[in-house]
Amino acid sequence: MAERKSAKRLLTSLTVLPVYLTAGIADAAEKLGEEDSAMAEGSKSAGGAAEESVESLRQQVDALAGEIGQLRGAQDDTLLYVALGIGIVGILLAIIALVVALGKADKKAQKRVKETPQKQSARIDQQEAALSNLEKRLEQAEARIAQQGRQVEATRPAVQTAPMPRTAPAAPAVPSWETRARTFAAAYNQFLQTKVSGMGARNLKERFLQEHQIVGFSCVNYADRMSNPDIQPLFQINENQKEAHYWACPLGGNLYAVVPNSREYEMQKHTTVGYGEVFRSNYAGGVYHSIKVIHPAIFRELVLQRPGQLQLGK
């Protein structure tokens, strides 16, 4: 019974032995790889790692051989032979694998040690050439993709875009003389609305005449128009600004902005001195005590170019 138990234990050991041997071979191969990468730094040689692994395997085999010697007199020979066969086959396979691994590691190490600078340079050149070829292929692929994108864009139906809204044309620039004429009309209306008397009224008028460089215009044929209102009025410069029928503000270029020289609008001025022709207004007869200039009349020298517009009030 004791011999049978020993044989079973031996069988188990021999069965597990290939696993141990394989682990030992992997450990030896790993050490060889480490030795090969650290060769330039003076670490242990691949032969030393191999000897350690072989020595470990030899010790495990000797231990098993001792157990086999103790069981030579066993009666259950069949079980013993089976165990020995499995063990021997496992040992042989492990030794063969170890020898192959050692041979490959030794060849790689020798190949790297014996590689000349010329071969290293050639290997680097090959790698660079391969990288350059890869970059060219990548550029070609990008060019094909871009071309396909253009083809797709060309075949895509045109998108109908809404027409841009038309903007209003820019207003024509206002001439500088027109701006000055408006400024003069506003100042004239302010002058008429200022209620002063005595010296204050005289000073106000003098200041207005000087500030705007007023020139006096008068109708020279007003006596003839009294008998025949269909006669067109004729104008001339009046040196006496205060007695002139009109006040004219120079605008430049022989142009004048013209307003009435009066605080009242009545029939005689409308018919004889030419207010009816020079200005458009809401005059309907009688006397109007309020005058407001909407637009001054425009003269070129002494000829009416554009009638003005007045708003009259009682």
Side-chain angles (χ1 to χ4, degrees):
M1 182 66 65
E3 294 176 353
R4 181 179 296 274
K5 291 181 178 180
S6 299
K8 289 182 179 181
R9 187 174 67 252
L10 176 61
L11 178 60
T12 303
S13 300
L14 292 175
T15 304
V16 177
L17 179 60
V19 179
Y20 290 155
L21 294 177
T22 304
I25 292 170
D27 182 66
E30 181 179 357
K31 288 182 179 181
L32 287 174
E34 295 177 355
E35 302 298 339
D36 183 44
S37 62
M39 186 178 297
E41 301 177 0
S43 58
K44 294 190 304 180
S45 64
E51 291 177 358
E52 292 179 2
S53 299
V54 173
E55 181 64 23
S56 176
L57 295 175
R58 187 184 299 115
Q59 292 176 1
Q60 295 180 23
V61 172
D62 291 341
L64 292 174
E67 292 186 9
I68 293 170
Q70 295 177 3
L71 296 175
R72 286 180 178 177
Q75 295 179 359
D76 195 351
D77 294 336
T78 303
L79 182 61
L80 178 61
Y81 291 151
V82 171
L84 288 175
I86 294 174
I88 291 171
V89 171
I91 292 172
L92 291 176
L93 293 176
I95 292 174
I96 292 172
L98 178 61
V99 171
V100 173
L102 290 176
K104 290 182 177 180
D106 185 61
K107 287 182 179 179
K108 289 182 179 180
Q110 291 178 1
K111 183 177 180 180
R112 291 185 180 178
V113 171
K114 293 180 180 180
E115 188 176 27
T116 62
Q118 291 78 6
K119 291 184 178 180
Q120 293 179 354
S121 178
R123 179 163 51 83
I124 293 174
D125 293 340
Q126 292 178 356
Q127 294 175 352
E128 291 179 350
L131 180 60
S132 177
N133 186 27
L134 181 61
E135 291 177 351
K136 291 181 180 179
R137 295 176 64 183
L138 179 60
E139 292 177 356
Q140 293 174 357
E142 292 177 350
R144 287 196 300 270
I145 293 174
Q147 183 178 3
Q148 292 176 357
R150 289 191 295 268
Q151 293 176 353
V152 172
E153 191 69 22
T155 57
R156 182 179 299 174
V159 179
Q160 297 294 331
T161 58
M164 295 295 292
R166 293 184 178 180
T167 57
V174 178
S176 58
W177 63 266
E178 184 75 34
T179 302
R180 188 174 180 184
R182 294 175 182 176
T183 303
F184 170 66
Y188 175 79
N189 291 331
Q190 183 65 35
F191 167 76
L192 292 182
Q193 293 174 5
T194 303
K195 304 298 183 181
V196 292
S197 60
M199 291 297 296
R202 182 179 300 177
N203 293 336
L204 178 64
K205 180 181 289 188
E206 292 293 339
R207 188 166 56 252
F208 178 81
L209 295 176
Q210 293 177 4
E211 181 178 352
H212 297 282
Q213 302 175 356
I214 297 300
V215 177
F217 283 3
S218 291
C219 178
V220 296
N221 60 344
Y222 69 92
D224 296 334
R225 285 173 53 82
M226 290 178 65
S227 58
N228 186 4
D230 294 333
I231 300 175
Q232 291 296 317
L234 299 176
F235 305 95
Q236 68 178 13
I237 294 177
N238 190 339
E239 300 295 339
N240 190 345
Q241 300 168 335
K242 297 178 182 179
E243 294 181 358
H245 298 142
Y246 303 89
W247 282 347
C249 175
L251 302 177
N254 296 325
L255 293 177
Y256 294 88
V258 178
V259 296
N261 178 17
S262 176
R263 290 180 177 269
E264 294 180 350
Y265 194 106
E266 43 85 19
M267 179 61 70
Q268 184 179 358
K269 294 178 180 179
H270 180 76
T271 57
T272 60
V273 299
Y275 279 14
E277 287 81 8
V278 176
F279 304 105
R280 297 189 178 96
S281 67
N282 58 329
Y283 181 71
V287 179
Y288 289 79
H289 300 281
S290 172
I291 299 176
K292 181 179 180 181
V293 175
I294 305 302
H295 301 295
I298 303 299
F299 276 66
R300 182 177 296 277
E301 295 184 347
L302 296 173
V303 179
L304 178 65
Q305 301 294 314
R306 187 182 71 186
Q309 183 175 354
L310 304 179
Q311 181 178 348
L312 307 176
K314 293 289 187 178

